Amino acid sequence: MDPVVLSESFFQRAAGWEAVQHARLLLGHGHVLSSNWSPPILKGVVQSGDITYRAGLVIQSEIDVENLCSCRQSRELGTLCPHSVAVGLHWLRPAAAASNAATTAKPSSAPAGVPSSRTGGPKPSIPAPGARMLQRAPQGKPLAVHVVVPPNFSDSLQRGRLACVLEGVSGTDRAPLDAWIRRGPVALAPEDEAVVAAAEAVAQGNTPGMLQLPLADAAPLLAALVGFPRVTLGRSQPFAISAASAPLPIHARLQPDGTITLSLRPQSKPPALVPVGAALWLVQGPPHPGIAPVSLPPAVRAVLQGPVTLTRPQVPLFLSRDWPALAASPSFDANFQPGDFELTPEPPRFLLELAGGLAQLHATLQCAYGTRIMTVGVTQPGEAAWIPDPSSPRRYGTRDLAAEQAAFQRLRQAGFAGPDAQGRWQLVGQDRVVAYFARVHPRLERDWEVHLEERLERSTQASFERVTPRLNITPSGTQWFDLDVAYAAESGTVIPASEIQQLLRGGSRRLRNGKLALIDSGAVEELQEILVDAAPEQVAG
């Protein structure tokens, strides 16, 4: 079996979106000390406060992943924790950096969002019938490619077109590139070959002497020209097509209400920005004309049209996903840091809805964080993992995933199967339903908010009668009294002590009124704790 290829999307599928967000925060704050990936074992060290976790995963396949972290979530719940995911993200980060370093060590590289043509170049298009192409051969005449952009290059880009002239120079002979087709084979250096191949690809297989392209089709050629040494504005002025990201002067301001406002710093002349393919480029004028890519997260691009306000539910995702790219720019300015924000788990309230009948129960388990109510086990699109604290603009509560998982397990242990894609659980069989109402339901009623559908509530009232312990206290002289414990149903029927143990084991007894007697095992346990604490002397039972 081939080893799993690690990626952020893999960790989101394996651990869930919330775990990845928490892992990004751990990584962003420098809490991951080391990482190593030797398939199938991923391991590393994570520092969280005063505790050091040896975290990691054993990844056999996309669906066979074991958590090795020493944290409580891993040990008690067996779920994939943010510590182990953070180790994986830490391993991906240096791997990506090494890949980028290897790419930038080449003559040139394409910016993010533009396909690279340096590593092997674009695949040449299949020439159309009658296509005229430059002949290449190692023993041909050495030819250097020159690219000339017109003086109105900036205006052309603003109108949505890329225009340029391609020329070939050999010795003192300079002519449009297509004029060299009739002069026999030529020898091209690798960077020149990449430019010619890209030009032929967008010119339907012909070797062009001049190009005028819609910007939507210009990305392959522009990628080949990134860092190319012979691009000029007119015949003489150097024109730089840069691989380095152009800085944009962006302000980020945390407001008193906890929202964040993003805006461009006022300038005498707005930046000239043009989209080419998936990338955004800044057109730079004299004294150093050229274009450079803008590394701006897609979610933040709206700032180019005007100030953008991030609502409080959007802030945590901005800090974990978009902040690193913005903060890397020397022209980025903010009045806060991610470390200024506090994330603390918030205890949920659990809401259990029951429907059905004595032969089959249907259940839906939800958790409530303040006014937010979510179905346990179902993630809704766009559902945020953080809950803003209205009393503090820098404080956010986070979902208590450990508590949600524990609630999940309580339903499983009660015999419920599920949940399905809509979060519904099922308990099938009358014996199992009776056992649930006898042993589990009273405990859940004390710990959760449990609601029975009207029809189910009528059915249980007509079929069940709860048995509870009753204490009878009889005075017996000064400072003495007799304590007697009796078990009676709601109708007053007294259950003999010999039958109590059977009921505690989940059994049932038919009363004279036809109802099934169910004992409240939780109440019995509380009574036993009281008697142990009081240590009374027992006489004759």
Side-chain angles (χ1 to χ4, degrees):
M1 181 181 295
D2 294 333
V4 172
V5 178
L6 298 190
S7 65
E8 281 206 23
S9 60
F10 164 76
F11 289 115
Q12 289 198 10
R13 292 193 300 272
W17 188 82
E18 291 87 352
V20 172
Q21 304 313 309
H22 282 264
R24 282 177 173 169
L25 290 178
L26 290 171
L27 185 62
H29 292 166
H31 293 321
V32 185
L33 307 183
S34 66
S35 62
N36 178 265
W37 169 233
S38 298
I41 298 177
L42 171 72
K43 60 183 179 180
V45 178
V46 179
Q47 183 78 32
S48 182
D50 297 330
I51 303 175
T52 300
Y53 294 110
R54 296 193 176 276
L57 303 169
V58 178
I59 306 172
Q60 302 290 356
S61 69
E62 287 270 351
I63 59 174
D64 186 0
V65 182
E66 178 186 356
N67 198 0
L68 300 178
C69 186
S70 55
C71 71
R72 177 178 174 272
Q73 179 177 342
S74 172
R75 288 184 286 105
E76 297 185 5
L77 302 178
T79 57
L80 302 190
C81 64
H83 308 114
S84 294
V85 176
V87 169
L89 298 184
H90 181 271
W91 185 87
L92 289 174
R93 177 175 287 185
S99 174
N100 291 338
T103 303
T104 54
K106 296 181 181 294
S108 65
S109 61
V114 176
S116 173
S117 64
R118 287 296 174 201
T119 56
K123 294 181 180 179
S125 60
I126 299 175
R132 301 172 64 249
M133 296 184 67
L134 192 66
Q135 300 178 50
R136 281 88 116 182
Q139 69 276 15
K141 183 181 298 185
L143 190 70
V145 176
H146 288 247
V147 179
V148 181
V149 298
N152 65 343
F153 182 78
S154 176
D155 294 337
S156 176
L157 286 180
Q158 295 297 323
R159 291 195 300 269
R161 301 191 70 81
L162 174 67
C164 65
V165 174
L166 292 92
E167 297 181 330
V169 177
S170 182
T172 59
D173 194 1
R174 179 166 183 159
L177 200 57
D178 56 353
W180 290 91
I181 296 174
R182 301 185 302 272
R183 301 187 186 186
V186 298
L188 299 175
E191 62 268 24
D192 296 84
E193 174 61 39
V195 172
V196 174
E200 291 172 340
V202 297
Q204 299 181 344
N206 293 285
T207 301
M210 183 178 68
L211 284 172
Q212 288 196 17
L213 299 171
L215 290 181
D217 302 331
L221 178 62
L222 199 58
L225 291 174
V226 168
F228 189 68
R230 293 181 296 280
V231 183
T232 57
L233 183 66
R235 280 293 185 91
S236 57
Q237 187 172 13
F239 188 90
I241 301 180
S242 175
S245 177
L248 282 181
I250 293 182
H251 273 303
R253 291 293 178 266
L254 179 65
Q255 305 299 332
D257 62 357
T259 60
I260 291 178
T261 302
L262 302 175
S263 62
L264 287 175
R265 285 205 300 269
Q267 296 175 286
S268 58
K269 185 178 181 180
L273 295 161
V274 292
V276 181
L280 195 65
W281 295 76
L282 175 67
V283 182
Q284 300 167 319
H288 304 292
I291 59 174
V294 174
S295 180
L296 202 60
V300 183
R301 282 194 179 184
V303 76
L304 301 175
Q305 280 71 51
V308 173
T309 298
L310 303 175
T311 63
R312 291 206 63 185
Q314 294 174 314
V315 167
L317 184 58
F318 165 77
L319 295 176
S320 63
R321 184 187 64 189
D322 301 328
W323 173 274
L326 291 175
S329 171
S331 59
F332 178 67
D333 172 54
N335 65 345
F336 60 89
Q337 292 292 324
D340 299 338
F341 293 82
E342 179 183 353
L343 295 176
T344 56
E346 183 172 315
R349 292 181 298 111
F350 288 103
L351 316 172
L352 181 64
E353 296 280 343
L354 292 173
L358 300 187
Q360 183 174 359
L361 282 182
H362 306 283
T364 301
L365 178 61
Q366 296 178 308
C367 56
Y369 294 93
T371 58
R372 291 181 58 199
I373 297 179
M374 290 162 284
T375 301
V376 177
V378 177
T379 301
Q380 298 295 337
E383 188 173 76
W386 297 275
I387 303 100
D389 184 342
S391 65
S392 172
R394 300 173 188 262
R395 185 180 301 122
Y396 288 78
T398 62
R399 293 176 63 172
D400 190 338
L401 301 180
E404 291 183 26
Q405 185 67 22
F408 209 86
Q409 294 302 323
R410 289 187 73 173
L411 282 187
R412 283 266 171 85
Q413 291 167 0
F416 282 88
D420 61 14
Q422 286 72 44
R424 294 188 296 258
W425 300 73
Q426 284 192 343
L427 183 64
V428 180
Q430 182 167 328
D431 290 344
R432 301 174 75 183
V433 172
V434 171
Y436 163 78
F437 278 107
R439 303 182 63 183
V440 181
H441 189 73
R443 298 172 186 265
L444 295 185
E445 283 186 313
R446 284 191 288 272
D447 298 338
W448 299 349
E449 297 178 24
V450 181
H451 179 261
L452 272 62
E453 182 191 43
E454 184 177 352
R455 185 169 64 90
L456 176 61
E457 187 169 14
R458 288 198 306 268
S459 178
T460 56
Q461 289 176 351
S463 304
F464 301 141
E465 193 165 319
R466 195 161 299 283
V467 175
T468 55
R470 298 182 181 179
L471 301 181
N472 299 314
I473 300 176
T474 305
S476 179
T478 305
Q479 297 182 344
W480 292 93
F481 62 89
D482 292 329
L483 174 65
D484 177 55
V485 180
Y487 293 88
E490 295 168 343
S491 61
T493 302
V494 176
I495 308 298
S498 60
E499 297 183 17
I500 294 300
Q501 288 301 320
Q502 177 188 351
L503 291 176
L504 286 174
R505 288 193 296 268
S508 59
R509 170 187 163 170
R510 186 76 61 180
L511 300 174
R512 291 179 180 177
N513 57 12
K515 296 183 179 181
L516 288 175
L518 303 179
I519 193 166
D520 188 338
S521 56
V524 174
E525 290 175 1
E526 291 175 3
L527 172 62
Q528 290 173 339
E529 292 175 1
I530 293 173
L531 295 179
V532 169
D533 290 340
E537 181 180 347
Q538 185 169 331
V539 178

